[in-house]
Amino acid sequence: MREEDALKYPAAVGDSSPARHTSTTRVPAGLQPGQLVVARNRKWNGQAHWVVPGRYLGEDRHGWWIFQGTNEFCSRPGAAFYTASDAVLLVPRSGDWVATFYDDAHPSGVRVYVDLAVAHEWTEIRPAVTEFHVIDMDLDVIRMAGRGVFIDDQDEFAEHRVAMNYPDLLVDDIQAAADDLYQAVKAQHAPFDGTDAEWFTKGRS
């Protein structure tokens, strides 16, 4: 966990892991288009969560974009699958979230999937290979074809708030961020306004 997050949300049980590479930072350094980026999530208590490989595309005013193509192998403890459609991941420059965008090929009709998440960290683990880490905070803002926009996993958030001892400030911040993101996705404010289309084109080229 980065120093500013440790100050904001002290006593994270999951922060007892060994120190990471010294290049860990919220802002990536030296990334070049085409490089491998592995998105690695964990829970507040340190439990491993989803691991998703991708290819770095570039950055814009919103943040850093990663292409996650069809037939990539994704896994977490107890589950694994090969992706059935293309996606692009946006890691924002600020804010407690990451967003995954899908096209019409997604089998469940998901178009936007925003994970509430804290402690964004980029770590170069070897030349041309970078890991991106976050702590997944349960809540998701989702836009689906035929269902619209909704906030998901509120029951999981309430359960983990107690079981994992979320700090009160963290709870308030995540709930407020989820509400703001819900409004942004629903109103199609940037970057939820179709900005992802050009990144899909770059990822497929």
Side-chain angles (χ1 to χ4, degrees):
M1 179 179 291
R2 294 174 302 113
E3 182 178 0
E4 64 186 82
D5 288 300
L7 291 173
K8 189 175 181 183
Y9 308 125
V13 176
D15 202 38
S16 60
S17 57
R20 295 191 179 90
H21 192 283
T22 55
S23 65
T24 294
T25 175
R26 170 107 196 199
V27 178
L31 277 178
Q32 297 296 321
Q35 290 185 356
L36 174 64
V37 175
V38 179
R40 187 180 298 273
N41 300 354
R42 65 190 187 279
K43 288 294 189 177
W44 186 257
N45 64 355
Q47 178 183 352
H49 200 43
W50 287 108
V51 177
V52 185
R55 179 165 48 87
Y56 180 65
L57 296 174
E59 63 178 297
D60 62 10
R61 66 188 179 93
H62 303 296
W64 299 271
W65 295 83
I66 299 160
F67 185 72
Q68 299 171 336
T70 303
N71 292 324
E72 290 284 4
F73 183 74
C74 304
S75 65
R76 65 171 172 79
F81 66 95
Y82 288 95
T83 55
S85 62
D86 293 342
V88 287
L89 172 70
L90 169 61
V91 179
R93 296 185 180 276
S94 62
D96 294 334
W97 56 276
V98 295
T100 306
F101 299 82
Y102 299 91
D103 64 9
D104 293 346
H106 190 279
S108 299
V110 175
R111 296 292 177 265
V112 179
Y113 199 108
V114 185
D115 291 278
L116 276 294
V118 298
H120 298 54
E121 298 175 343
W122 297 87
T123 304
E124 182 183 16
I125 59 174
R126 56 177 293 181
V129 180
T130 298
E131 286 189 341
F132 170 69
H133 295 254
V134 287
I135 297 176
D136 181 274
M137 295 308 305
D138 311 320
L139 293 181
D140 307 301
V141 177
I142 302 171
R143 180 164 66 83
M144 292 182 66
R147 183 173 175 182
V149 182
F150 59 96
I151 298 176
D152 198 26
D153 289 336
Q154 297 186 75
D155 54 344
E156 182 182 356
F157 182 66
E159 177 185 341
H160 286 175
R161 174 182 182 176
V162 175
M164 297 185 187
N165 194 28
Y166 292 168
D168 290 340
L169 176 59
L170 173 65
V171 171
D172 293 343
D173 284 354
I174 293 302
Q175 290 177 328
D179 291 340
D180 289 346
L181 286 161
Y182 170 83
Q183 296 299 332
V185 173
K186 190 170 184 178
Q188 297 186 1
H189 292 161
F192 309 109
D193 60 346
T195 298
D196 57 289
E198 65 177 285
W199 295 104
F200 270 107
T201 299
K202 288 184 179 182
R204 291 165 175 156
S205 62

